[in-house]
Amino acid sequence: MKILVTGGLGFIGSHTVVELQNKGYDVVIIDNCSNSSPEVIKGIISVTGKSPIFEKFDLREKEKVKEFFSRHNDIEGVIHFAASKAVGESVENPLLYYENNLSTLVYLLQELTNKASSHFIFSSSCTVYGQADELPITEDAPVKEAESPYGNTKQIGEEIIRDTCRVTPSLKAIALRYFNPIGAHPTAEIGELPIGVPQNLIPFITQTAIGLREQLSVFGDDYPTSDGTCIRDYIHVVDLAKAHVVALQRLLESKNTSNYEVFNVGTGTGSTVLEVIQSFEKVSGKKLNYKIVDRREGDITAAYADTSKANNDLGWKAQSSLDNSLSSAWKWEQKVRN
């Protein structure tokens, strides 16, 4: 069975490709390599012993999307990761995010609605909840006005899929709202390798520890939390990748109760930024050079998941601890740099 993974050379995408191939799926990747590299394929092959099909182009090119589906008319499912994802950058360049994250989704759905049957998994985010009124956050929590253009593209993306499913019974879709993916494959063959300065906490931590970055900035210590720093739910990327596979199986086996569903994917535990730093220092033996700086626009105080729905309906549960996740990230960073 052939599955398309857009953005399949990225951090989460590459780990999902590995889990799909380990389950026997044939995988086709589309990636424009704007924040990834074709070198990732070597790592995927090293882990799975099998090469995915790879096509390099930008999903914003509508005619290329149409031409791709005309050649690959046997694709049974699509897992859509391809998107810009940095909160800060989205605040500075909103039009880039609206074009890149929404037009690509529309072009994919236009092709899928032409098929007799199609299965679609959307890479959504806990950012759709904004600063939730209650913690942990359930799927029933209200979707609030987005704190950033990035978050808004995830909200609008979900609305586009929901509205399309409502008038397209042949389209079955799941939006996975995940929290903060971290870590790397235990083999250290694939991991997070952002191009340029990292926008996420963990690669900045590991790059600071390895000496690539002089100092780690902690954005704010005056939040109403135990130590004043933001709280997030950090999930190991392999656990997250496996959630995509079980969600796909749910669609393919028609176990979903409606043709559009939403699931939180996290650990259910929140950790402050300083707790993450302390955990990393423990597992790595490295002392981090960090500095408290002003809050970052678009950041919320706290977010962590209620994962009961995913646990019960998908039969999925996160397995890795924060220490284990950070240890794998450090192992990956050391391999890449050394």
Side-chain angles (χ1 to χ4, degrees), residues 126-138 141-144 147 179 300-304:
C126 65
T127 58
V128 302
Y129 298 116
Q131 182 56 68
D133 298 325
E134 296 181 9
L135 294 170
I137 303 169
T138 72
V143 172
K144 295 189 173 182
E147 299 281 342
F179 284 66
I300 60 171
T301 300
Y304 55 95

Side-chain angles (χ1 to χ4, degrees), residues 28-285:
V28 184
I29 294 171
I30 297 175
D31 203 306
N32 67 0
C33 297
S34 62
N35 196 33
S36 60
S37 167
E39 291 291 309
V40 174
I41 294 174
K42 294 179 182 178
I44 293 171
I45 295 170
S46 179
V47 176
T48 66
K50 183 178 180 181
S51 178
I53 298 169
F54 170 54
E55 298 204 14
K56 182 181 178 182
F57 69 90
D58 196 311
L59 288 167
R60 287 175 292 185
E61 300 179 69
K62 184 175 182 177
E63 291 307 311
K64 287 191 176 181
V65 176
K66 291 174 67 71
E67 190 269 337
F68 171 86
F69 276 94
S70 69
R71 286 186 289 109
H72 294 278
N73 57 12
D74 56 343
I75 284 174
E76 293 290 331
V78 176
I79 303 180
H80 182 42
F81 294 107
S84 301
K85 62 177 184 176
V87 170
E89 183 186 48
S90 78
V91 173
E92 296 170 2
N93 195 349
L95 290 180
L96 169 68
Y97 274 67
Y98 288 120
E99 179 193 26
N100 197 39
N101 293 8
L102 297 179
S103 65
T104 55
L105 173 61
V106 170
Y107 298 159
L108 285 170
L109 290 175
Q110 285 174 337
E111 296 306 312
L112 294 181
T113 54
N114 290 328
K115 294 170 69 71
S117 175
S118 53
H119 310 90
F120 188 78
I121 295 176
F122 180 57
S123 167
S124 192
S125 168
C126 65
T127 58
V128 302
Y129 298 116
Q131 182 56 68
D133 298 325
E134 296 181 9
L135 294 170
I137 303 169
T138 72
E139 289 86 352
D140 294 326
V143 172
K144 295 189 173 182
E145 182 177 354
E147 299 281 342
S148 68
Y150 163 74
N152 203 24
T153 65
K154 293 303 181 183
Q155 291 184 10
I156 297 169
E158 287 192 10
E159 291 168 1
I160 290 169
I161 298 165
R162 184 194 63 214
D163 291 344
T164 306
C165 284
R166 186 177 293 134
V167 296
T168 315
S170 60
L171 174 64
K172 297 181 175 66
I174 288 176
L176 295 181
R177 293 173 176 167
Y178 27 90
F179 284 66
N180 292 62
I182 63 172
H185 197 271
T187 62
E189 293 294 337
I190 54 173
E192 188 169 13
L193 190 60
I195 294 173
V197 179
Q199 298 291 323
N200 296 331
L201 176 62
I202 305 309
F204 215 113
I205 284 177
T206 58
Q207 289 188 12
T208 303
I210 207 80
L212 194 65
R213 306 291 163 194
E214 183 179 347
Q215 189 175 65
L216 169 71
S217 294
V218 176
F219 296 104
D221 65 348
D222 58 348
Y223 287 94
T225 64
S226 60
D227 57 27
T229 62
C230 292
I231 293 174
R232 298 291 184 268
D233 185 337
Y234 296 94
I235 177 172
H236 196 296
V237 66
V238 174
D239 284 336
L240 178 56
K242 289 178 178 177
H244 289 81
V245 178
V246 297
L248 177 67
Q249 291 171 336
R250 179 176 176 84
L251 293 178
L252 293 171
E253 296 168 9
S254 297
K255 291 181 178 178
N256 47 319
T257 53
S258 72
N259 70 330
Y260 176 66
E261 294 181 300
V262 172
F263 293 93
N264 285 340
V265 186
T267 66
T269 301
S271 303
T272 69
V273 175
L274 291 182
E275 286 171 342
V276 173
I277 289 172
Q278 292 160 5
S279 174
F280 178 80
E281 289 180 338
K282 179 177 70 175
V283 300
S284 68

Side-chain angles (χ1 to χ4, degrees), residues 239 266-267 307 310-311 315-319:
D239 284 336
T267 66
T307 60
N311 300 160
W316 169 92
K317 187 176 178 63
Q319 301 296 323

